[in-house]
Amino acid sequence: MFRLLSIEIHKLKNSTASKVLILTYFALLMSIALIAAIKFDIGPVQFHLAEQGIFNFPFIWHFNTFIAAFFKFFLLLVIVSMMANEYSNKTLKQNLIDGLSKKEFVMSKFYTVLLFALISTVFVFFVSLVLGLIYSDFNEFSIIFSDLEYLVAFFVKLLGFFSFGLFLGMLIKRSAFAVGAMLIWFIAETIGYNLLKWNVFRGTDIADNIFQFAPLNSMWNLIHEPFSRLGAVRTIANQIGEDIGADYAVHWYEIAIVLGWTFIFIYGSYFLLKIRDL
């Protein structure tokens, strides 16, 4: 494992574009802390976002993982280009000539994806922990380390998403087209879901039950939006007679679905490489 991983890290070190994207990604994760500085002071209306409880334990684990997940597209570019460069630079063929098996080649990419997801999760954990210790109104040990399942969901979400990017990079061989394919897939899922939800099966949960198994939608379902959990939002909802009955929990079957897609994407990448004439 470490031998294969070291090969990929060496390749990334020699890619300026990859290093810039990786640094940008982690800088954006750090930028979550800047949310604490957002203040609105418009006449009698004074609003400090950090005082609304977004950094309270244990809510911060939900909020920060949800926000951090939007920045994953920067690492997607790294992973897709990492795969595309193997074809354009002829390093794939050279690796195989040097004795690397096709299975080891795909696993080296998967280990890189695994490393990115793990480092991202640990990074978000420490950023959230520091912000929570500074701003949270609740600092009891049992409260601080409750709801950590959102970090597990965040890790699985990144793992599945990056594996999808790896598969598309292997399938299409061009980074720009692979990213475009991801966007097209997202649009197709969105249109398909809305057609079923608001036309074919209107007024039922059938569309949700079907599309919970779609790749990108299953990843989205791992961490639901956290904003309606805020006290200010619930107060406004109660005043206008709205009942917010959302389910914010991380469910084991949702994790299982994404892990299933991760296996399909990795095995699919290996299958493509195995049957393809290099």
Side-chain angles (χ1 to χ4, degrees):
M1 173 181 176
F2 294 106
R3 178 178 66 89
L4 298 177
L5 194 55
S6 65
I7 294 173
E8 297 304 317
I9 292 175
H10 177 72
K11 292 176 183 177
L12 290 174
K13 284 181 179 179
N14 293 324
S15 172
T16 302
S18 294
K19 288 189 288 187
V20 170
L21 287 169
I22 291 170
L23 289 174
T24 301
Y25 169 74
F26 284 103
L28 287 171
L29 290 183
M30 281 290 294
S31 71
I32 294 176
L34 297 178
I35 296 175
I38 298 177
K39 295 182 180 180
F40 298 96
D41 191 355
I42 308 173
V45 179
Q46 294 182 341
F47 182 80
H48 187 191
L49 199 54
E51 294 177 353
Q52 302 307 307
I54 63 172
F55 292 147
N56 276 343
F57 290 117
F59 177 75
I60 190 172
W61 304 119
H62 186 183
F63 180 82
N64 279 8
T65 51
F66 179 81
I67 296 299
F70 285 99
F71 302 138
K72 64 184 179 292
F73 293 97
F74 286 88
L75 281 189
L76 173 69
L77 295 175
V78 175
I79 291 164
V80 169
S81 62
M82 177 179 70
M83 193 63 250
N85 289 340
E86 296 286 358
Y87 287 97
S88 59
N89 297 334
K90 309 296 183 182
T91 49
L92 192 162
K93 184 177 292 186
Q94 187 60 50
N95 285 156
L96 297 179
I97 292 173
D98 291 340
L100 206 65
S101 69
K102 291 182 177 181
K103 181 180 178 180
E104 287 177 322
F105 178 83
V106 172
M107 290 307 297
S108 70
K109 301 299 181 186
F110 175 67
Y111 292 148
T112 306
V113 164
L114 192 66
L115 182 65
F116 280 150
L118 181 60
I119 292 176
S120 298
T121 304
V122 172
F123 193 83
V124 170
F125 168 77
F126 282 110
V127 169
S128 302
L129 184 63
V130 171
L131 287 173
L133 291 174
I134 294 174
Y135 292 103
S136 178
D137 296 328
F138 312 102
N139 291 318
E140 291 83 0
F141 185 86
S142 59
I143 295 178
I144 290 175
F145 293 102
S146 61
D147 284 4
L148 290 182
E149 61 268 20
Y150 287 106
L151 286 168
V152 176
F154 179 71
F155 171 78
V156 173
K157 186 172 189 172
L158 294 188
L159 189 64
F161 188 74
F162 295 156
S163 297
F164 193 9
L166 180 63
F167 172 74
L168 290 176
M170 179 73 76
L171 177 66
I172 301 175
K173 303 181 186 179
R174 296 289 185 274
S175 55
F177 291 120
V179 173
M182 177 79 81
L183 179 60
I184 292 171
W185 188 282
F186 168 74
I187 294 172
E189 273 195 28
T190 303
I191 293 174
Y193 171 77
N194 283 287
L195 282 175
L196 292 183
K197 181 72 173 177
W198 306 111
N199 293 278
V200 181
F201 301 117
R202 189 171 185 175
T204 71
D205 294 330
I206 296 177
D208 297 282
N209 293 334
I210 293 173
F211 273 84
Q212 69 175 328
F213 295 102
L216 294 180
N217 197 62
S218 65
M219 297 171 200
W220 172 264
N221 287 341
L222 284 175
I223 305 176
H224 297 278
E225 60 81 21
F227 303 105
S228 56
R229 291 182 64 183
L230 292 171
V233 175
R234 288 186 172 272
T235 300
I236 295 173
N238 290 333
Q239 289 175 350
I240 62 177
E242 290 290 333
D243 179 30
I244 301 177
D247 179 11
Y248 304 103
V250 177
H251 299 286
W252 69 266
Y253 59 85
E254 292 172 337
I255 289 178
I257 292 171
V258 177
L259 289 177
W261 277 114
T262 301
F263 173 80
I264 291 172
F265 292 140
I266 298 303
Y267 182 79
S269 300
Y270 170 66
F271 180 77
L272 285 173
L273 186 61
K274 189 176 180 180
I275 65 172
R276 185 170 285 167
D277 184 12
L278 301 177

